[in-house]
Amino acid sequence: MSVRAATAFTVPPSLWDNTDMIDALAARDIARVFRLVQRATRASQTHLGVATGLSQAQISEIISGTRRVSSIEVLTRICTGLAMPGHARMTLLLGEHPPQATQRPVGDGGNRTSGVSAEAECADRSLPVDEGARERYSDVTAIYLSRSDFTAKMPPHVLFEDAKNIRAAGLSLNILSQQYADNQLLKLLATGTHLRCLFLDPAGDAIRRQEHEDDYPDGHLSALTELNIQNLTGRIRNRLPPDARERLTIRVYDETIRVNVLLIDDRLCVVQHYLPQMRGVDSPTMVVERAATTPGLYTVFDGMFTSLWERSRDV
């Protein structure tokens, strides 16, 4: 069977507004999502596998309930492979029902409620629902009011599951050094994952300026960052098999920090801007999903990381 033939199915747009589908997406019940797609399209497990980049065996395990999908990277591939519209994609990635106003009645064919203008309906949605809106939002797929809100929705064990390439640049990188279990990070690195960490130099001038701006005592951020570097070196790298240690690279830079950037598998980017008089944990956090066809913000932050890495130094 050719790849062209294997992927020859189209999900009816109305399916994504079906109540059963919305419930399945909000629960991240991929088995149910696949079954609903199969019912609507007569797609085989092979069709689904080719579309989503999964093997037929994996599709079978998911549908039977023996394999559960929680990795953001895999969820993103499923979104792309099934050509989910923006509102369905966000329901799945956020793992929650959209606001009631954004849900369409089952069987209404996408028609608006009588008396509600197109402008009002679009304004009522917090996320893009068509190609025009998608262009306005570029490749941003979610925005959280704070890092704590983001972490509650996308904890580290979900973000990093099955990741093969992780790049992180920021201040103290607590998401890796404090919020992610050592045994999980050791397992990732031992099984082939590459991790590059770029810390703000604990002995540099930029971190002292940041302490002053955030109203921390002198040496507070420096001590925390130095501790996190030592933890990654001592608790993680030194415990890895010799042939795996080179997969963890730690460097520092001494420049005014503008964003924390986390890049996963050249597909997903988490960005947290540093704003005046606002500590990092309270700052808005943005999720960017690399667009397949057109350049977007992902390429901007990817290039920023590469440039900063080239200007950094080894610990």
Side-chain angles (χ1 to χ4, degrees):
M1 179 183 294
S2 69
V3 172
R4 186 182 185 89
T7 57
F9 72 93
T10 301
V11 180
S14 60
L15 180 62
W16 303 116
D17 300 314
N18 180 283
T19 300
D20 287 343
M21 178 60 80
I22 292 172
D23 289 344
L25 293 170
R28 289 183 175 171
D29 186 348
I30 302 303
R32 192 174 172 193
V33 170
F34 283 164
R35 287 195 295 270
L36 289 169
V37 169
Q38 285 184 305
R39 187 184 306 164
T41 66
R42 297 187 180 277
S44 68
Q45 292 182 2
T46 300
H47 293 151
L48 292 172
V50 172
T52 59
L54 300 170
S55 69
Q56 185 275 328
Q58 289 173 317
I59 296 291
S60 177
E61 290 173 353
I62 291 169
I63 291 175
S64 69
T66 58
R67 176 190 289 260
R68 183 164 181 83
V69 179
S70 59
S71 164
I72 292 297
E73 192 270 337
V74 175
L75 291 173
T76 299
R77 279 175 20 212
I78 291 170
C79 289
T80 302
L82 297 181
M84 289 186 194
H87 66 291
R89 180 184 297 256
M90 287 304 95
T91 300
L92 177 62
L93 293 180
L94 295 179
E96 62 182 20
H97 281 84
Q100 189 64 35
T102 72
Q103 298 184 28
R104 301 174 187 172
V106 177
D108 75 345
N111 294 328
R112 293 188 300 276
T113 304
S114 175
V116 180
S117 69
E119 292 81 2
E121 184 180 41
C122 287
D124 215 14
R125 296 182 185 271
S126 58
L127 296 164
V129 296
D130 55 37
E131 289 306 313
R134 181 72 173 174
E135 290 178 5
R136 293 196 301 275
Y137 284 86
S138 186
D139 47 359
V140 176
T141 56
I143 299 175
Y144 298 86
L145 290 178
S146 69
R147 189 167 65 199
S148 57
D149 288 344
F150 163 75
T151 304
K153 291 295 183 183
M154 293 187 178
H157 73 272
V158 173
L159 276 176
F160 301 141
E161 183 180 6
D162 297 326
K164 296 303 180 186
N165 184 8
I166 303 170
R167 294 173 289 162
L171 203 162
S172 301
L173 304 185
N174 287 330
I175 193 169
L176 285 162
S177 305
Q178 302 289 339
Q179 298 169 11
Y180 192 51
D182 287 359
N183 62 337
Q184 291 178 310
L185 187 52
L186 284 165
K187 181 180 178 181
L188 277 181
L189 292 164
T191 55
T193 300
H194 288 261
L195 172 60
R196 284 190 280 172
C197 297
L198 191 49
F199 290 88
L200 195 60
D201 190 346
D205 294 330
I207 200 165
R208 287 195 288 273
R209 293 195 299 268
Q210 193 65 39
E211 287 172 339
H212 178 74
E213 181 176 303
D214 290 345
D215 199 27
Y216 281 115
D218 290 347
H220 177 86
L221 292 178
S222 296
L224 174 60
T225 304
E226 182 63 39
L227 176 63
N228 284 353
I229 292 173
Q230 291 177 0
N231 285 343
L232 281 182
T233 302
R235 292 197 329 233
I236 304 299
R237 186 160 58 190
N238 291 348
R239 293 168 60 190
L240 288 168
D243 62 340
R245 291 175 186 173
E246 63 181 17
R247 298 185 197 128
L248 172 57
T249 310
I250 303 171
R251 305 190 77 171
V252 297
Y253 68 103
D254 187 18
E255 300 179 22
T256 299
I257 186 168
R258 293 177 173 83
V259 292
N260 267 331
V261 175
L262 181 66
L263 298 134
I264 302 172
D265 287 339
D266 293 323
R267 297 180 62 89
L268 196 70
C269 176
V270 180
V271 181
Q272 176 209 333
H273 290 85
Y274 276 82
L275 304 176
Q277 306 302 315
M278 183 176 287
R279 296 184 178 184
V281 70
D282 299 318
S283 295
T285 300
M286 180 169 63
V287 180
V288 178
E289 177 193 336
R290 187 169 200 162
T293 55
T294 58
L297 289 179
Y298 185 96
T299 57
V300 172
F301 293 109
D302 182 37
M304 188 215 79
F305 179 92
T306 299
S307 176
L308 199 59
W309 186 266
E310 290 172 350
R311 300 195 302 275
S312 64
R313 65 174 180 83
D314 291 326
V315 175

